[in-house]
Amino acid sequence: MAAVYETLLVERRGAVAIITINRPEKRNALNIKTREEGAAALEQLQADDGVRVVIITGAGDKAFIAGADIGEFAGRTALTQRAIMLGRSLFTAIDVFPKPVIAMVNGYCLGGGCELALACDLRIASETAAFGQPEINLGIIPGGGGTQRLTRLIGEGKSMELILTGEIIDAQTALHLGLVNHVVPADQLEARTMEIANQMAEKSPIALRMAKEAVKLASRSNLDEGLRREVDLFALCFSSEDKDEGVGAFLEKRKPSFKGK
Ligand code: COA
C-alpha cells in the first residue's frame, strides 16, 4: 500500500514516480519532517522495481524549495545542528539513489533547495524559476553540499560569486552557467520533464545505475581510477539479461524491452 506523508505527495505515472514537496505556504522549505519523509519515500521507491525514474518538484507555482526551514535554525546549538546534519541525509539519499532523479524546478530554488537540485542527476527549470545560495545573508554558509556540488558543476569562479554574494539568478542565467539542463515555459515544464523521464525509463535499469555511478565518479576520483572503475561498471553490464536483450534487439532490428535483470 502507498505510504501517506504529511509533507509530501508521491504519485506514479507509469514507470515514473513524482515526489512533490507539499508545503506551499512555506514555499516548500525543508524542515526536519520533510527531510525524513523524503528519505523514507526514496527508500520505498528504490525497492519498487516498477519505478525506473523519480522526479522531485515543489507544490504550487511559486517555489521549488525555498531552502532549509529557517524557523528551525532559531535557538539551535552547534552540536544539535551538527548531529542533525550527520544523520540520515535527504541529499545523500538522492545522490546514491540507484535510479535517475530529476529536479523539476518550478520556482524559487534557494539554499537547501538548490542543494537538493544539485544532488539530483538532471535539473529541468521553468522560465519562472530562480536559483541561489543566499545562506550568506543569514550569517551562515551552504551546508548541504552547496559549496562542493555547485563548484564541481559550474566551476569555482561562478560558484564563489553566488555563494559570497547570495545573489539570486534567473533560469536563463542558470542555463548559461550550466546549472540547469533545460529551461522551458512554465506550462510546458511537466510535459518536458516527463518526456525526458520516460526516455530514461525505457532503458535498462541496470545500465542506468552503472552509468549514473560511472558519471559521478568523474568528479570524485582521479582520471586513472575513474577510467579503471568505468571498465568494471561497463563489464558488469555484461552479466545482465538486459545487455543480451539490447544487443539482440539491435541485431534483430527491433525495439528492446528491458526487464532490469
Ligand atoms: N524557511 C522558512 N520559512 C520560509 C522560507 C524558509 N526558507 N522561505 C519562505 N518561508 C515562509 C515565509 O516565512 C512566509 O511565512 P509566513 O507566511 O508564515 O510569514 C511564507 O513562507 C511565504 O514567504 P514570503 O517571503 O512571503 O514569499 P515570497 O513569495 O514573497 O518570497 C522567497 C519567497 C523564497 C523569495 C522568500 O520567502 C525568501 O527569501 N525565503 C528565504 C530564502 C532563503 O534564505 N533560503 C535559504 C535558507 S538557508
Side-chain angles (χ1 to χ4, degrees):
M1 209 180 79
V4 175
Y5 300 100
E6 200 180 292
T7 63
L8 309 176
L9 301 169
V10 181
E11 63 174 300
R12 278 282 293 278
R13 304 247 185 103
V16 179
I18 305 178
I19 299 177
T20 304
I21 312 291
N22 191 25
R23 303 182 73 214
E25 72 290 350
K26 291 290 176 193
R27 303 296 180 261
N28 303 317
L30 295 176
N31 60 4
I32 290 180
K33 185 81 182 166
T34 314
R35 291 169 195 264
E36 284 172 359
E37 290 192 336
L42 284 173
E43 209 169 287
Q44 276 222 329
L45 297 174
Q46 177 168 342
D48 186 339
D49 289 340
V51 172
R52 295 196 176 181
V53 178
V54 172
I55 293 172
I56 302 180
T57 193
D61 58 4
K62 292 213 166 92
F64 170 66
I65 299 167
D69 191 316
I70 300 170
E72 289 185 342
F73 287 166
R76 192 180 271 171
T77 66
L79 287 180
T80 307
Q81 184 62 36
R82 185 167 190 269
I84 290 168
M85 293 178 85
L86 292 180
R88 187 162 122 176
S89 156
L90 174 57
F91 304 136
T92 305
I94 295 169
D95 194 351
V96 301
F97 195 69
K99 310 174 190 190
V101 184
I102 304 176
M104 182 163 82
V105 184
N106 55 314
Y108 287 113
C109 179
L110 305 177
C114 193
E115 289 174 309
L116 186 145
L118 288 165
C120 294
D121 302 312
L122 271 77
R123 287 150 291 279
I124 318 295
S126 81
E127 284 171 347
T128 55
F131 296 79
Q133 296 287 167
E135 291 89 344
I136 202 83
N137 298 326
L138 302 173
I140 56 175
I141 69 169
T147 63
Q148 303 304 301
R149 290 198 183 95
L150 183 65
T151 304
R152 280 167 165 78
L153 190 63
I154 68 171
E156 186 174 310
K158 286 295 176 188
S159 175
M160 194 70 93
E161 185 176 341
L162 286 175
I163 290 169
L164 298 191
T165 64
E167 186 196 351
I168 309 291
I169 57 171
D170 64 21
Q172 281 303 335
T173 308
L175 181 67
H176 179 66
L177 293 178
L179 177 43
V180 299
N181 296 73
H182 301 281
V183 175
V184 295
D187 62 356
Q188 292 167 32
L189 179 64
E190 194 171 301
R192 181 72 180 117
T193 310
M194 279 302 294
E195 191 183 6
I196 294 169
N198 281 323
Q199 201 181 347
M200 292 179 191
E202 286 181 3
K203 316 297 182 203
S204 158
I206 295 169
L208 287 172
R209 180 178 189 159
M210 298 303 151
K212 177 168 169 171
E213 202 175 318
V215 172
K216 280 180 177 266
L217 274 172
S219 60
R220 292 170 190 202
S221 61
N222 65 42
L223 182 60
D224 288 339
E225 189 198 343
L227 291 171
R228 176 76 190 83
R229 289 182 61 191
E230 183 192 69
V231 169
D232 290 341
L233 294 166
F234 176 79
L236 212 48
C237 294
F238 280 60
S239 66
S240 70
E241 288 175 22
D242 280 354
K243 172 255 172 186
D244 295 334
E245 169 63 9
V247 172
F250 176 83
L251 296 175
E252 291 159 24
K253 301 189 187 305
R254 62 176 173 81
K255 198 170 178 267
S257 171
F258 294 114
K259 302 280 187 299
K261 290 186 178 149

